[in-house]
Amino acid sequence: MKNIMLIAPPAAGKGTQAEMVVKKYGIPHISVGDILREISKEDSELGNYVLETMTSGKLVKDEITYQLIENRLQQEDCKNGFIIDGFPRNIEQALKYDEILQKINQPIGNVILIDVDPKTLEKRITGRRICEDCHAIFNINDKNQAPQVESFCDYCGGHLYQRSDDNIEAFQNRYQTYLEKTAPIIKHYEDMGVLVSVDGTQSMEEVFQDIVHIIQGSEK
Ligand code: AMP
């Protein structure tokens, strides 16, 4: 059984790596960002609040995310492990996460930090495109990840879109928030002895190999 947490700055390849882990280990991917993006489509007070907050690059209120996580982790498919990403994003969320795990009798598992410098991140952010239909991720600033036909998905032919928060201003906001809020979380898990760091500037496959080594190393 594997519980995995990914910590990474925005656009470090966290989503891609999470999907690769899901495929290899058959565990559910719990992305708070994705859950919130779904909620942001709802025409309700909550939907409007979430949309506004995400577009500005700020964090959604803790009470909302706690409820989402607690509900999600209690679903049947999480019994044999899960990969959580985008949570916790501040030390309060980390402490609350420890509490939730204890309550539902789950170990913390592997905490993996994907490390990438801000210049590389900025290039990735402005080039990121996502398929509307199958959610495949491309990058027009990287010839190895660009779609073969501009604006269309290589896999299903769906239309590619740019996330509303994938712009320089929102990135700078999100990166600043990441630096301020995430440093204490990294220290928290370092102190617990569960944090391992991987070099996120490597190719997608190399990063994944490092992650697999960490997961398999912890199973020995
Ligand atoms: P992500 O897809 O992880 O980059 O998240 C996109 C946006 O969703 C963030 O900029 C926040 O507005 C919101 N969000 C995601 N995870 C959290 C969280 N743990 N707590 C609060 N807001 C979050």
Side-chain angles (χ1 to χ4, degrees):
M1 200 209 55
K2 302 161 197 76
N3 293 342
I4 298 156
M5 182 197 292
L6 296 181
I7 300 179
K14 177 163 54 78
T16 309
Q17 294 299 329
E19 289 310 327
M20 290 164 92
V21 171
V22 164
K23 219 166 162 189
K24 185 170 172 71
Y25 294 100
I27 52 177
H29 174 201
I30 300 170
S31 160
V32 180
D34 283 351
I35 299 173
L36 288 169
R37 256 182 291 284
E38 279 308 306
I39 295 174
S40 76
K41 292 177 191 161
E42 289 168 11
D43 185 17
S44 65
E45 202 181 324
L46 178 65
N48 292 338
Y49 160 74
V50 170
L51 179 65
E52 231 173 74
T53 309
M54 289 179 82
T55 307
S56 72
K58 292 187 184 134
L59 289 183
V60 171
K61 283 183 201 146
D62 281 343
E63 312 90 82
I64 295 172
T65 48
Y66 293 163
Q67 198 61 55
L68 292 174
I69 291 294
E70 192 164 338
N71 292 346
R72 186 64 188 88
L73 295 188
Q74 290 185 84
Q75 285 171 22
E76 194 56 33
D77 61 342
C78 292
K79 290 247 151 64
N80 294 318
F82 52 84
I83 178 163
I84 187 157
D85 90 69
F87 184 90
R89 276 169 125 114
N90 55 44
I91 190 67
E92 293 78 18
Q93 288 188 356
L95 297 173
K96 183 71 184 180
Y97 185 58
D98 293 348
E99 255 177 54
I100 294 171
L101 288 176
Q102 216 167 12
K103 189 164 146 192
I104 62 173
N105 208 19
Q106 287 270 12
I108 180 87
N110 294 120
V111 178
I112 301 171
L113 171 68
I114 305 175
D115 212 7
V116 186
D117 61 280
K119 275 266 165 294
T120 306
L121 294 173
E122 211 170 282
K123 214 170 134 198
R124 287 186 185 175
I125 282 269
T126 51
R128 178 156 64 181
R129 299 292 183 274
I130 303 165
C131 175
E132 248 170 26
D133 298 328
C134 74
H135 311 293
I137 300 166
F138 298 86
N139 200 299
I140 60 169
N141 289 338
D142 177 347
K143 65 176 177 4
N144 295 320
Q145 291 182 51
Q148 282 169 11
V149 179
E150 201 186 318
S151 306
F152 292 98
C153 178
D154 288 359
Y155 308 107
C156 74
H159 194 259
L160 302 184
Y161 73 96
Q162 185 170 23
R163 264 168 50 173
S164 62
D165 53 350
D166 276 353
N167 58 68
I168 291 280
E169 295 72 29
F171 167 70
Q172 282 166 351
N173 236 326
R174 287 161 69 199
Y175 191 70
Q176 204 46 44
T177 305
Y178 171 78
L179 287 183
E180 284 164 19
K181 307 278 183 183
T182 313
I185 302 178
I186 293 171
K187 185 171 181 320
H188 175 68
Y189 291 123
E190 262 170 1
D191 291 348
M192 280 171 73
V194 294
L195 186 102
V196 188
S197 181
V198 303
D199 175 6
T201 63
Q202 303 177 97
S203 73
M204 218 161 67
E205 290 75 20
E206 287 168 328
V207 174
F208 184 59
Q209 279 318 308
D210 284 356
I211 291 176
V212 167
H213 280 136
I214 293 167
I215 296 170
Q216 289 174 348
S218 74
E219 285 180 323
K220 280 177 195 149

